Amino acid sequence: RAMPLVYLDSTILAAGLGRSEDLRARVTTAIKGVLANQSSNGAFGLWRPDSGDLWLDAYVTDFLTRAREAGYDVPNEAFTLALDNLRNNLSYLPDNPDFAPVAYAYYVLARNGRAAIGDLRYYSDNELSKFPALARGQIGAALALYGDRVRAERVFRSAIDASLAAIGPRSSFSDYGSALRDDAAILTLGLETKVDGLDLSDLVRRVNAGRQSQPYTSTQEDAWS
């Protein structure tokens, strides 16, 4: 729930809608809360220190990264442990891993300048068809962060095409997602990285339609929207 609040603070101030102290307090409390669930190896649990869920580790570390970028205090030791945990997981992948959390981990590491560019290029050139739509968007964003704009544009186009081609609900929710969450997250990544040559208008319409047609939305769908 705290992920979008990192950005809502500056939005409220820019619009002159009120004070930001409450928002900052909520984000600070959320940071302390997720760090209380961090294990000694840097991984995270949902309700207590735990490990074994790479997607959850990537999401929490993404939140901590964005909070740090926005000026929030994130303890260096805990943050470094979180990044080290992602790198350690990627160093011991099985032959056919679940590419959804793998791509997310690479993206978060790239946002912190700690991803292996050679791995990103290998996946984009040789394994991209194995990645679901959002995972392709995360690999594309990671490439863009490292300045490989040509590959980033190609991979992002693939992500958008795969997302728009999907019809009906997703069959797997191992990464806490849905079609609407994935569409919104790809759109967010595309707008953040500003990759040239991307037409995001169809994705915008699809996200808007998805939110209007669903009577209930998940925390993930709301956060990325």
Side-chain angles (χ1 to χ4, degrees), residues 54-90:
L54 180 57
W55 189 93
L56 177 64
D57 292 344
Y59 183 65
V60 175
T61 311
D62 190 7
F63 164 63
L64 296 175
T65 297
R66 293 168 182 269
R68 275 169 59 97
E69 292 171 352
Y72 288 92
D73 181 26
V74 178
N76 286 329
E77 182 177 358
F79 187 65
T80 300
L81 269 177
L83 293 174
D84 288 344
N85 171 63
L86 296 183
R87 290 200 65 173
N88 291 338
N89 273 277
L90 294 179

Side-chain angles (χ1 to χ4, degrees), residues 31 147 160 178:
I31 292 170
I160 294 169
S178 65

Side-chain angles (χ1 to χ4, degrees), residues 95-137:
D95 290 337
N96 292 295
D98 180 354
F99 284 108
V102 167
Y104 200 177
Y106 270 114
Y107 164 73
V108 175
L109 288 171
R111 190 155 183 148
N112 287 280
R114 294 190 56 180
I117 185 63
D119 290 351
L120 294 172
R121 288 171 175 164
Y122 171 80
Y123 283 127
S124 71
D125 293 348
N126 301 284
E127 304 280 353
L128 195 61
S129 62
K130 299 178 181 179
F131 285 69
L134 175 53
R136 298 182 196 188

Side-chain angles (χ1 to χ4, degrees), residues 175-194:
D175 62 351
Y176 310 92
S178 65
L180 174 57
R181 191 285 303 269
D182 292 359
D183 289 344
I186 293 169
L187 181 57
T188 297
L189 294 172
L191 292 169
E192 282 184 337
T193 51
K194 298 180 173 65

Side-chain angles (χ1 to χ4, degrees), residues 2 5-10 12-13 19-32 63 66-74:
L5 298 183
V6 171
Y7 301 99
L8 191 59
D9 187 356
S10 58
I12 284 179
L13 290 177
R19 299 163 63 87
S20 65
E21 286 83 354
D22 290 345
L23 278 174
R24 296 195 68 83
R26 289 176 64 186
V27 174
T28 298
T29 299
I31 292 170
K32 293 177 180 178
F63 164 63
R66 293 168 182 269
R68 275 169 59 97
E69 292 171 352
Y72 288 92
D73 181 26
V74 178

